[in-house]
Amino acid sequence: MAKKRTPQERSADPAAQQMIIRAEELGIKTAFDRADDMAPCNIGGSGMCCKQCGMGPCRLTKEGQVGVCGATIDTIQARNLVRAISAGSAAHSDHGRDMAFTLKAAANGEAEGYYIRDVAKLRTVASYYDIEIEGRAPEEIANDLADLYIAQFGQQTGEVVPVIRAPEKRQKIWREQNVIPRGVDREVVEALHRTHIGDDQDAVHILNHAIRTGLADGWAGSMIATDVSD
Ligand code: SF4
């Protein structure tokens, strides 16, 4: 069993330390207790384990060893990383999707209790995408913006639109590297496809898609959520 850490070792935040002490007084187990009780697996913790298919799990502990399917340690670690990125991208982005649908519902009077609170922000964001704002009601603008944002999830080709808000120099680098996401769902699905047994075995190629999938989160799904709700 790993050593039990003090509240100060568990968190640098004084408020969190107080909560940890109080939970202990009440006999409530927290994630800190469970982490101290469970030593991580050395092989899994080092990313040397693959369980992407039923022929595994494959544990690569020796130099030059490959999995049953022939995957090298580089391939396995790249696959594990892109799958983790995909899960994060999906979690953040699905929240963004719901925010976009909520915006659409609010614009059409179908979301009781929700309303457009910051019209100035709505007009600013709509302007980034050349959505007409002059002489239009906030609800009309919001409806168009919601449609545009909803489309970013299922878009199959091209580029997700929020990337035009990145510095031009950065956009140029992304285009040269071919990592601008086409659509949020497309990149997450492709990440899972590529990392399935018998598909992409090239670690660099897989990592290239990891960047694309991460950008789909930061420059589409998460940005949409932030635009609508923050
Ligand atoms: S994908 Fe390859 S390395 Fe991973 S569990 Fe299956 S056989 Fe093993």
Side-chain angles (χ1 to χ4, degrees), residues 79-161:
R79 282 176 177 169
N80 287 341
L81 178 63
V82 75
R83 285 215 165 196
I85 290 172
S86 302
S89 194
H92 294 154
S93 299
D94 214 30
H95 170 63
R97 185 200 319 269
D98 284 338
M99 290 296 98
F101 274 107
T102 303
L103 179 65
K104 175 126 182 122
N108 290 281
E110 296 165 354
E112 192 181 343
Y114 288 88
Y115 63 98
I116 298 162
R117 195 173 62 187
D118 190 343
V119 175
K121 180 181 177 185
L122 171 68
R123 290 167 67 91
T124 300
V125 174
S127 299
Y128 294 143
Y129 310 116
D130 294 330
I131 293 172
E132 186 61 50
I133 59 172
E134 294 310 328
R136 301 184 80 199
E139 289 74 17
E140 289 178 290
I141 300 169
N143 186 64
D144 285 358
L145 181 63
D147 283 343
L148 179 70
Y149 274 175
I150 290 165
Q152 303 312 302
F153 295 90
Q155 184 168 280
Q156 302 299 312
T157 57
E159 299 178 351
V160 289
V161 290

Side-chain angles (χ1 to χ4, degrees), residues 34-77:
R34 291 187 287 275
D36 286 350
D37 288 347
M38 191 175 344
C41 162
N42 285 335
I43 298 169
S46 306
M48 298 188 297
C49 177
C50 178
K51 52 184 180 63
Q52 313 288 6
C53 85
M55 293 198 294
C58 297
R59 292 168 299 156
L60 272 56
T61 55
K62 298 188 187 80
E63 187 71 29
Q65 198 177 4
V66 294
V68 175
C69 67
T72 65
I73 187 68
D74 289 349
T75 300
I76 286 173
Q77 295 204 332

